[in-house]
Amino acid sequence: MAKLPILHFPDPRLRTRAKPVSVVDDNIRQLAEDMLETMYDAPGIGLAATQVNQHIRLLVLDISEDKSAPMVFINPVITPLTQDCVPYEEGCLSVPGSYDEVQRPARIRVEALDRNGKPFTLETDGLLAVCLQHEVDHLDGKLFVDYLSPLKRQRIKTKLEKLQKQRA
C-alpha cells in the first residue's frame, strides 16, 4: 500500500469530472487500498479518486470511530429520497482547516459496485449520507466550498494559496 498526495483547493484538477470505471480489476482494488491508507493517515473519513489526481468514479469512506468499517464505492449514483435537506458542518482533505455548514438531502439511495465489481444498493441518512454526497460531488468536479457564498469561498482560497506559498 502507498500513501498518495492529496490535491488542494484551488488546484484546477479538482474540477475534473471523473470517468466511469469500466473494469474492476486488481489495479482498481489497489488504488482503493491506497486511498484508504491515505484517508486514514490524513486523517479523514472520506476520499474521492479525484482528490488523489485519479479521475475515475471511485471513492472510499469509513465513518467508524475505530477505522474498522472501510467502504468502497465504484461508479456511485445517488438518488435523493426526500426533499428535506439538513445542515451539516463539512470539512475536506482538499480544503484543509476550513469548515462550514452545507445543506444536503437528508436521506439518499446510492447504487454502486463494491471492490469486487458486485453491484449493491444502500439507503442511508445521517453522516454516511452527507459523506457520500460530499465525495460524489468531488467525482463531479465540485467542492463543498461551492455551496458557500463567493466571499467565503474567496477567503478560503486566499488563505490556502498563502499557506501553499509559505510551504514552497
Side-chain angles (χ1 to χ4, degrees), residues 12-167:
R13 294 172 291 181
L14 288 167
R15 300 304 185 173
T16 304
R17 187 167 174 81
K19 294 184 176 5
V21 172
S22 55
V23 177
V24 179
D25 58 15
D26 287 343
N27 291 332
I28 295 297
R29 284 186 279 278
Q30 184 61 55
L31 176 59
E33 290 302 315
D34 291 346
M35 288 172 58
L36 284 164
E37 181 179 349
T38 302
M39 176 189 77
Y40 290 136
D41 184 66
I45 59 173
L47 188 67
T50 302
Q51 293 175 271
V52 293
N53 203 27
Q54 298 292 316
H55 302 287
I56 58 172
R57 297 191 76 76
L58 165 65
L59 64 89
V60 297
L61 294 172
D62 188 343
I63 60 169
S64 68
E65 291 289 324
D66 60 357
K67 303 178 183 177
S68 64
M71 302 175 80
V72 175
F73 296 81
I74 300 168
N75 297 336
V77 176
I78 290 180
T79 305
L81 297 177
T82 178
Q83 297 291 326
D84 298 332
C85 288
V86 291
Y88 203 91
E89 185 169 83
E90 295 186 24
C92 181
L93 296 176
S94 290
V95 190
S98 296
Y99 302 88
D100 215 309
E101 195 171 272
V102 175
Q103 296 271 341
R104 296 193 185 268
R107 186 158 183 76
I108 62 166
R109 174 187 304 118
V110 62
E111 297 173 61
L113 303 175
D114 67 15
R115 69 180 80 214
N116 295 312
K118 183 181 173 202
F120 70 96
T121 301
L122 176 69
E123 291 187 9
T124 188
D125 56 13
L127 180 58
L128 183 55
V130 169
C131 289
L132 279 164
Q133 292 172 83
H134 176 108
E135 299 307 333
V136 168
D137 272 356
H138 276 298
L139 301 179
D140 293 333
K142 190 171 187 176
L143 289 95
F144 91 94
V145 296
D146 297 339
Y147 292 93
L148 308 179
S149 71
L151 179 61
K152 280 186 178 181
R153 189 169 43 254
Q154 185 58 47
R155 283 184 180 159
I156 291 169
K157 180 180 176 184
T158 301
K159 176 179 135 187
L160 290 176
E161 287 173 336
K162 184 177 178 182
L163 284 172
Q164 287 172 357
K165 285 179 185 173
Q166 288 174 350
R167 289 186 192 134

